[in-house]
Structure formats: structure tokens, C-alpha cells
Amino acid sequence: MDRLTKLIFSFYREDKQIQSRLAPLLRSRLSRSWGSVRIDCLNAEHLEEVSLLSGYISAPLAGIDFCRKIIVRAPDVAERTFLVHALFKKDSLIG
């Protein structure tokens, strides 16, 4: 399991139900590049499974302001992009 996958799974470490939903990520390759996280899937069906998890994937990444978008791709399939929204604005911490 690579570091990005570990990050996501550890975010949900106390929720085994969500961890089981995230199982398709274990068959993916995750990488970071230019403010985005790329998820390479095996095929179109696998891409669909991973795309449905975008909310679960983006939450831990947004929590640490890790990236701006998630790109899910597979061979011979149009890639999908999901924006990652910060959980809070840094400026809101200043009173």
C-alpha cells in the first residue's frame, strides 16, 4: 500500500464500513503531480467504482490541503476530474 492510499485508509481507521467501501483503491496506483492526485485504474469498470468514492477520497486530502483536484483515469477511457475543496479557509483562523 503506497503512502497516499495509507493516508486515505488511516483517515477512516475507526470506520471499518468505509474502509471496506474503499477496497477498489487497493487495486489502483495513486500519485501526486502539479497540485493533483492521479488515480490510475485497471479498466472502465474499475474507474466507475473508484469514481463513486470521490467524496471519501477527497475528505482526507482536503483536510491537509494536499491537492486541488483528483484525476481518475484508465486505459482507453476519458479521465474524470473531481475538485477537492478545503474544509476551512486559512484566513478564517485569523480573528
Side-chain angles (χ1 to χ4, degrees), residues 58-76:
S58 66
L61 301 175
I64 59 171
D65 199 22
F66 192 75
C67 63
R68 301 281 179 246
K69 60 185 174 179
I70 298 167
I71 301 169
V72 183
R73 54 193 196 172
D76 303 322

Side-chain angles (χ1 to χ4, degrees), residues 2 10 12 19-20 25 30 52-53 62 66 72 81 87 90:
D2 63 53
S10 67
Y12 298 106
Q19 280 193 348
S20 68
L25 277 183
L30 282 72
L52 292 173
L53 302 172
F66 192 75
V72 183
T81 302
L87 297 178
K90 293 176 185 173

Side-chain angles (χ1 to χ4, degrees), residues 30-93:
L30 282 72
S31 60
R32 182 180 184 200
S33 177
W34 297 97
S36 64
V37 168
R38 290 182 300 202
I39 302 175
D40 293 317
C41 299
L42 303 172
N43 52 39
E45 182 181 330
H46 187 224
L47 182 135
E48 291 297 329
E49 291 175 329
V50 171
S51 293
L52 292 173
L53 302 172
S54 63
Y56 291 120
I57 297 167
S58 66
L61 301 175
I64 59 171
D65 199 22
F66 192 75
C67 63
R68 301 281 179 246
K69 60 185 174 179
I70 298 167
I71 301 169
V72 183
R73 54 193 196 172
D76 303 322
V77 180
E79 67 182 27
R80 295 198 183 158
T81 302
F82 301 94
L83 297 179
V84 176
H85 301 285
L87 297 178
F88 58 87
K89 298 280 185 203
K90 293 176 185 173
D91 295 340
S92 68
L93 298 176

Side-chain angles (χ1 to χ4, degrees), residues 5-38:
T5 306
K6 283 182 186 178
L7 169 72
I8 295 165
F9 274 83
S10 67
F11 185 81
Y12 298 106
R13 68 183 165 272
E14 295 188 17
D15 193 331
K16 299 302 180 193
Q17 185 176 10
I18 293 176
Q19 280 193 348
S20 68
R21 287 184 187 163
L22 290 170
L25 277 183
L26 296 173
R27 298 177 304 167
S28 305
R29 189 174 71 74
L30 282 72
S31 60
R32 182 180 184 200
S33 177
W34 297 97
S36 64
V37 168
R38 290 182 300 202

